């Protein structure tokens, strides 16, 4: 037996031995286990590093692939005409719509909607952008909607002996101004009491009302709730021209009996408008001003002019207006109107005042002690409008 074998046999205890285990065994055992533990630790570290490297490589490849896809998609979009419902942003090579069309609508260029008795044209917001006739018309529609104007403007032409059939509006009041009264106009002033709600049933005597309007006129307290002699009302001159108003006044101050009936009727209904005619003499000016509580919309009946608008952000627009144009000034927006023709500039105006139109401050708030003393005013609005007023006056002085 060799020395090595003897050493091994002497050092390894027998299974059936009851002798005390040599103190070298635990040391040897611990050393052997320690050696295996270190070997196992280095193996796990290598696996971890390999996995980490694989993750890094995979991530880099993924990012590179996405980058290539994005570049190719962008190039394809530039080369292809993308069609949608008109709500997307214009392509880089397209010319953007002039800013002025947020405040200007060439109504005479809009679509004519015919009905048996005549035709209607609208300056309004449309949910379906395909119904707009042009990008300029869409810009105006979006503007009055974004500013919550609560107004839509339209011209109604009724043929000779034609009829605008009896109808109603579920969500709007309607105001009108008669432009061409030659030949007279017969209004349907009364109906027989309907069997059911007239919102779903027209009067049973509709044919009689249309063909033979010889019935007795309703009493004044009913008729003048809906009609107002604006042309015959009081005139309110200013340095550049004249205003006439169809609006609510507290206690009917300055109104005759029939005008008081109309005034109270406006006050009883929500979201009514204030109407006015504005006549600016040749080369006259409706000075820069703003309205605290009302959007303003106007229609040019005769003459021609120049309009200026400035927003609180400092953005300005100056443009010319003529017969058939509709203009819009949002609440708090500085604006002016100037007549630039040999004849007077004449407009019909509408203000979304509801029943608050009894105070002059709402209508013509130029930068004066009256405007600066307005209760509950917004200081930031006052500062911006003062700056805007100065800027507009400077532009007018420079002949812009």
């Amino acid at each position: 037996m060799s020395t090595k074998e003897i050493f091994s046999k002497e050092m390894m205890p027998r299974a059936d031995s009851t002798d005390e285990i040599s103190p070298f065994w635990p040391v040897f055992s611990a050393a052997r286990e320690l050696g295996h533990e270190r070997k196992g630790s280095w193996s796990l570290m290598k696996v971890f590093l390999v996995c980490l490297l694989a993750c890094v490589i995979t991530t880099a490849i993924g990012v590179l692939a996405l980058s290539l896809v994005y570049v190719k998609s962008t190039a394809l979009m530039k080369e292809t005409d993308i069609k949608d419902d008109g709500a997307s942003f214009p392509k880089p090579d397209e010319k953007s719509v002039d800013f002025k069309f947020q405040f200007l609508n060439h109504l005479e260029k809009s679509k004519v909607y015919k009905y048996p008795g005549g035709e209607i044209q609208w300056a309004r917001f449309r949910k379906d952008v395909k119904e707009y006739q042009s990008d300029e018309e869409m810009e105006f529609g979006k503007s009055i909607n974004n500013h919550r104007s609560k107004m839509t403007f339209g011209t109604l032409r009724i043929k000779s002996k034609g009829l605008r059939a009896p109808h109603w509006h579920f969500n709007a009041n309607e105001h009108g101004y008669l432009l061409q009264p030659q030949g007279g106009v017969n209004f349907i002033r009364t109906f027989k009491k309907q069997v059911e709600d007239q919102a779903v049933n027209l009067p049973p005597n509709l044919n009689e009302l249309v063909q033979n309007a010889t019935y007795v006129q309703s009493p004044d307290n009913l008729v003048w709730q809906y009609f107002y002699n604006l042309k015959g009302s009081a005139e309110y001159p200013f340095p550049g021209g004249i205003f006439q108003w169809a609006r609510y006044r507290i206690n009917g101050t300055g109104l005759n009996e029939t005008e008081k009936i109309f005034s109270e009727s406006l006050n009883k209904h929500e979201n009514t408008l204030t109407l006015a005619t504005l006549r600016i003499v040749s080369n006259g000016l409706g000075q820069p001003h703003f309205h605290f509580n009302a959007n303003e919309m106007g229609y040019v009946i005769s003459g021609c002019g120049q309009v200026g608008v400035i927003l609180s952000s400092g953005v300005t627009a100056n443009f010319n207006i003529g017969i058939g144009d509709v203009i819009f000034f949002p609440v708090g927006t500085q604006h002016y109107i100037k007549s630039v023709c040999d004849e007077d500039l004449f407009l019909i105006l509408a203000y979304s005042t509801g029943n608050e139109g009894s105070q002059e401050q709402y209508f013509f708030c130029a930068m004066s002690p009256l405007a600066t003393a307005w209760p509950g005013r917004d200081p930031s609005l006052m500062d911006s409008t003062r700056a805007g007023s100065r800027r507009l006056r400077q532009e007018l002085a420079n002949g812009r």
Side-chain angles (χ1 to χ4, degrees):
M1 183 179 294
S2 64
T3 304
K4 181 177 181 180
E5 292 174 342
I6 295 172
F7 178 80
S8 299
K9 288 181 178 181
E10 290 179 351
M11 293 298 296
M12 295 294 292
R14 294 189 303 273
D16 58 348
S17 175
T18 57
D19 296 337
E20 186 175 345
I21 298 176
S22 169
F24 289 101
W25 171 247
V27 176
F28 175 78
S29 178
R32 184 175 63 179
E33 291 174 4
L34 181 60
H36 281 287
E37 184 177 347
R38 287 179 179 174
K39 184 177 181 180
S41 298
W42 280 108
S43 299
L44 289 176
M45 181 63 71
K46 290 179 180 179
V47 172
F48 171 77
L49 292 175
V50 170
C51 292
L52 179 62
L53 180 61
C55 290
V56 172
I57 295 174
T58 302
T59 302
I61 293 174
V63 172
L64 180 60
L66 289 175
S67 301
L68 292 175
V69 171
Y70 176 80
V71 171
K72 291 183 178 179
S73 299
T74 304
L76 181 61
M77 290 176 65
K78 290 182 178 179
E79 295 174 359
T80 306
D81 289 334
I82 301 175
K83 296 183 179 180
D84 58 11
D85 60 357
S88 62
F89 292 101
K91 295 186 286 293
D93 57 341
E94 289 182 341
K95 184 178 180 181
S96 60
V97 179
D98 195 316
F99 174 69
K100 70 180 182 182
F101 288 106
Q102 292 187 23
F103 314 101
L104 172 65
N105 179 285
H106 296 308
L107 184 60
E108 292 188 340
K109 295 181 179 180
S110 65
K111 182 178 179 179
V112 177
Y113 293 86
K114 296 183 180 296
Y115 65 94
E119 58 189 35
I120 299 177
Q121 289 178 283
W122 296 105
R124 54 171 292 186
F125 167 72
R126 300 182 182 278
K127 290 184 178 180
D128 185 355
V129 296
K130 295 178 181 178
E131 294 184 5
Y132 290 113
Q133 300 298 296
S134 64
D135 291 340
E136 291 78 11
E137 185 179 345
M138 181 171 66
E139 190 74 7
F140 184 84
K142 290 164 55 179
S143 175
I144 62 176
N145 181 60
N146 292 338
H147 289 97
R148 300 180 180 180
S149 68
K150 298 182 179 180
M151 289 189 287
T152 288
F153 185 85
T155 55
L156 169 64
R157 183 181 300 276
I158 302 178
K159 299 177 182 178
S160 176
K161 298 183 180 180
L163 170 71
R164 176 64 167 159
H167 61 285
W168 62 91
H169 306 284
F170 288 103
N171 64 340
N173 298 295
E174 180 178 347
H175 297 248
Y177 180 78
L178 187 61
L179 292 178
Q180 297 177 338
Q182 294 86 352
V185 176
N186 292 318
F187 293 100
I188 298 176
R189 299 176 184 271
T190 187
F191 296 102
K192 290 182 179 179
K193 186 176 180 180
Q194 60 274 17
V195 178
E196 297 179 31
D197 187 352
Q198 191 170 318
V200 293
N201 289 287
L202 291 175
N205 63 329
L206 177 60
N207 185 64
E208 176 189 348
L209 293 173
V210 174
Q211 302 297 331
N212 185 26
T214 58
Y215 39 81
V216 178
Q217 177 175 306
S218 299
D220 284 352
N221 65 333
L222 294 179
V223 173
W224 294 107
Q225 290 183 35
Y226 310 103
F227 300 101
Y228 188 91
N229 183 11
L230 184 57
K231 186 176 181 180
S233 64
E235 296 183 349
Y236 295 85
F238 64 95
I242 296 173
F243 268 109
Q244 289 181 284
W245 299 98
R247 61 188 177 96
Y248 168 66
R249 295 176 184 269
I250 294 178
N251 300 323
T253 305
L255 302 178
N256 61 35
E257 292 304 314
T258 60
E259 291 172 342
K260 288 179 181 179
I261 295 173
F262 183 84
S263 172
E264 289 302 320
S265 177
L266 288 181
N267 189 45
K268 290 177 181 178
H269 297 87
E270 295 183 357
N271 298 320
T272 56
L273 301 178
T274 288
L275 291 190
T277 54
L278 169 61
R279 184 179 298 277
I280 303 178
V281 299
S282 177
N283 205 38
L285 171 68
Q287 61 178 310
H289 64 284
F290 57 93
H291 308 285
F292 286 105
N293 78 322
N295 294 292
E296 177 181 351
M297 192 173 288
Y299 176 77
V300 180
I301 297 173
S302 63
C304 58
Q306 183 185 57
V307 169
V309 178
I310 183 167
L311 303 182
S312 58
S313 61
V315 178
T316 62
N318 295 279
F319 51 89
N320 295 323
I321 55 174
I323 297 173
D325 285 340
V326 176
I327 53 178
F328 171 64
F329 305 125
V331 173
T333 301
Q334 282 275 341
H335 59 276
Y336 73 86
I337 305 175
K338 181 179 181 180
S339 175
V340 296
C341 292
D342 293 334
E343 62 177 311
D344 294 350
L345 174 62
F346 188 61
L347 305 96
I348 178 71
L349 304 175
Y351 302 83
S352 59
T353 52
N355 62 354
E356 300 178 350
S358 60
Q359 303 184 47
E360 294 294 343
Q361 296 97 318
Y362 281 116
F363 297 112
F364 204 79
C365 297
M367 295 315 301
S368 64
L370 177 65
T372 57
W374 179 254
R377 66 190 185 279
D378 182 347
S380 62
L381 175 62
M382 299 299 297
D383 292 341
S384 64
T385 49
R386 285 193 185 96
S389 182
R390 289 194 295 269
R391 189 175 306 177
L392 285 176
R393 288 191 176 94
Q394 184 62 44
E395 290 179 357
L396 288 171
N398 294 335
R400 293 184 58 180

